[in-house]
Amino acid sequence: HGRLLCLPHAQGEGVMSGMEKTQLLGMTPDELTVYFKQLGQPAFRARQVFAWLHQGADFEQMSNVPKALRETLDENCVANPVSVLETIESKLDGTIKLLYRLPDGNVIEGVLMRYKYGNTLCLSTQVGCRMGCAFCASTLDGCARSLTPAEMLGQIVCANGILAPQGQKVGNIVLMGSGEPLDNYDNVVKFLRILRIEGGLCIGMRSVSLSTCGLVENMRRFAEEDLPVTLSLSLHAPNDEVRRKLMPVARKYSMDDVLSACRNYIEKTGRRVIFEYALVHGVNADPAQAVELAGRLRGMQCHVNLIPLNSVPERGLTGVTEREVDAFKHMLEQKGISVTRRREMGDDIEGACGQLRRRYIRDNQEESETTAE
Ligand code: SAH
């Protein structure tokens, strides 16, 4: 693929952060109504503009909006704060890896998976992540900032733009890109409330999965929001000792607390929880650990998703062989746990979390180093 655009990453004094413009895409219809009222506009403008924004229109394309108003909006607002910098399509399965640019010059990534039953988009919720999991590339540089609701919706609008020529749309959302969704709680909740509105993207909560490393207080709070998404819990271990080796968050919350928050979620929403388990050679992949895991999950309305680790060179952790995956899976099955192995998609395009963004940062650093010489 071609050379990447150069980004203004400078954030020094006098440099606009690019975030000053109002992000209308992240407003609810009620908020838009107030906004347009202040501009002396009738209430129906809010509905019109809401529909246009979620269809991916720019202000000048909003043909039923008066020209003067379109110009005012263009000056003060941004229709979609997210733009696509680069796409890479997998030759294996049509998976598309996306690199997006945000108004302040930060970059994030996403993955568009093309299944027979529809298109699933993997969204980022933060620029980077501060959870520090040992196997994850997203967290290597920490978290630059959380994304706004508009920046989450904007990723979907961008992907819909890519699918439009084929008469397709994004049907399912997984919050499994960079970032910890429950560490950006208010924005994620607002994003979900806007996501399902008719006349907008209209994606129901049954089509959404939220993946969390297990922030217990916010899991309990989220169970009360009446947003019954599928909860995916990144477990990755059969006990606290192993979990602490991989996930710093496990020092704050015990597995008992996390599992009890999961039970609460199942009770409140009636939905089963998915446990994600990345198999790391020599750490958590022993068949005896499968037995221990089964013991912990017994009686829960749940499903285990085994993920062969995408090895991250920076981290020095290695994945497992096919035989190890099979043995672990077989053992869970024998103990009556529902389990699948996650389909690997886009293996040829750095599909795993945080890897494309890292390559991008690496390349651009090299580029600016060469130009500096
Ligand atoms: N912060 C959230 C969501 C982001 S990551 C969470 O922790 O769940 C989505 C999933 O990919 C998580 O289960 C995460 O643990 C897993 N993951 C991260 N890096 C991985 C890697 N190198 N190999 C396999 N799975 C990985």
Side-chain angles (χ1 to χ4, degrees):
H1 38 85
R3 221 41 216 156
L4 300 161
L5 297 172
C6 219
L7 281 189
H9 11 220
Q11 292 280 306
E13 275 169 60
V15 179
M16 298 234 298
S17 78
M19 298 292 285
E20 296 84 0
K21 286 197 166 186
T22 304
Q23 300 185 350
L24 294 180
L25 191 58
M27 288 190 185
T28 64
D30 284 348
E31 287 169 340
L32 280 174
T33 305
V34 172
Y35 186 84
F36 283 107
K37 207 170 175 183
Q38 283 166 353
L39 293 175
Q41 291 288 326
F44 66 80
R45 266 320 155 230
R47 279 196 309 279
Q48 288 176 330
V49 172
F50 184 84
W52 280 119
L53 290 167
H54 291 255
Q55 282 161 30
D58 218 335
F59 297 119
E60 64 207 35
Q61 295 171 304
M62 301 184 180
S63 51
N64 54 3
V65 176
K67 188 152 189 281
L69 177 61
R70 273 163 19 209
E71 283 167 5
T72 308
L73 293 178
D74 198 37
E75 239 164 73
N76 301 296
C77 311
V78 57
N80 185 354
V82 183
S83 55
V84 176
L85 265 180
E86 191 188 344
T87 58
I88 309 171
E89 188 165 344
S90 164
K91 288 178 185 62
L92 302 176
D93 52 27
T95 299
I96 300 174
K97 188 89 213 211
L98 296 139
L99 195 66
Y100 310 96
R101 184 191 189 280
L102 304 178
D104 60 357
N106 272 307
V107 289
I108 51 168
E109 61 188 282
V111 191
L112 179 56
M113 291 159 282
R114 326 285 305 270
Y115 296 105
K116 279 195 193 73
Y117 56 81
N119 298 298
T120 297
L121 185 67
C122 177
L123 291 196
S124 288
T125 55
Q126 295 178 315
V127 181
C129 184
R130 60 189 189 119
M131 295 298 120
C133 297
F135 43 78
C136 183
S138 295
T139 202
L140 288 169
D141 298 316
C143 177
R145 68 172 174 87
S146 285
L147 299 191
T148 62
E151 288 169 333
M152 292 179 239
L153 293 160
Q155 296 171 56
I156 307 171
V157 171
C158 284
N160 279 343
I162 289 170
L163 293 168
Q166 296 159 51
Q168 294 183 24
K169 277 188 206 182
V170 172
N172 297 288
I173 300 295
V174 294
L175 298 177
M176 293 190 184
S178 293
E180 166 49 49
L182 297 185
D183 186 39
N184 183 14
Y185 189 90
D186 292 342
N187 287 341
V188 166
V189 164
K190 188 171 185 197
F191 155 75
L192 292 172
R193 295 206 190 287
I194 297 175
L195 181 66
R196 64 174 169 185
I197 294 173
E198 239 174 276
L201 289 165
C202 198
I203 297 178
M205 294 302 102
R206 292 194 167 263
S207 308
V208 178
S209 288
L210 182 149
S211 181
T212 178
C213 63
L215 303 181
V216 169
E217 290 93 353
N218 282 351
M219 285 172 69
R220 290 189 172 273
R221 211 175 138 200
F222 189 68
E224 308 293 329
E225 297 281 1
D226 195 26
L227 292 167
V229 305
T230 302
L231 189 72
S232 284
L233 194 287
S234 297
L235 196 59
H236 305 315
N239 59 47
D240 283 314
E241 195 197 334
V242 174
R243 198 161 190 261
R244 283 188 204 117
K245 283 187 197 158
L246 295 171
M247 307 175 74
V249 71
R251 284 180 222 137
K252 181 153 182 208
Y253 304 106
S254 71
M255 239 175 95
D256 277 342
D257 289 347
V258 171
L259 293 179
S260 127
C262 288
R263 284 193 195 91
N264 176 64
Y265 192 83
I266 295 166
E267 230 168 77
K268 294 275 157 63
T269 62
R271 315 222 51 196
R272 70 174 183 176
V273 166
I274 314 268
F275 291 107
E276 288 163 278
Y277 198 104
L279 292 162
V280 188
H281 181 77
V283 179
N284 65 3
D286 195 272
Q289 290 170 310
V291 176
E292 192 181 358
L293 176 66
R296 297 299 289 261
L297 303 184
R298 189 169 302 135
M300 270 178 99
Q301 197 185 321
C302 69
H303 179 84
V304 174
N305 198 2
L306 295 177
I307 317 168
L309 182 84
N310 285 300
S311 50
V312 179
E314 287 93 336
R315 288 303 204 184
L317 295 172
T318 44
V320 289
T321 61
E322 289 296 315
R323 281 184 58 184
E324 282 177 285
V325 182
D326 286 345
F328 199 91
K329 179 166 178 275
H330 184 69
M331 198 56 92
L332 285 178
E333 278 165 350
Q334 273 200 328
K335 299 283 170 191
I337 302 289
S338 152
V339 54
T340 44
R341 170 201 171 131
R342 186 198 272 180
R343 247 177 90 191
E344 281 156 288
M345 300 196 69
D347 225 11
D348 55 334
I349 53 165
E350 299 176 283
C353 324
Q355 294 186 353
L356 179 63
R357 175 166 172 264
R358 285 203 59 75
R359 199 215 65 216
Y360 179 85
I361 292 170
R362 233 164 22 225
D363 287 0
N364 278 276
Q365 272 166 358
E366 279 161 20
E367 195 162 83
S368 47
E369 277 158 22
T370 10
T371 21
E373 275 167 41

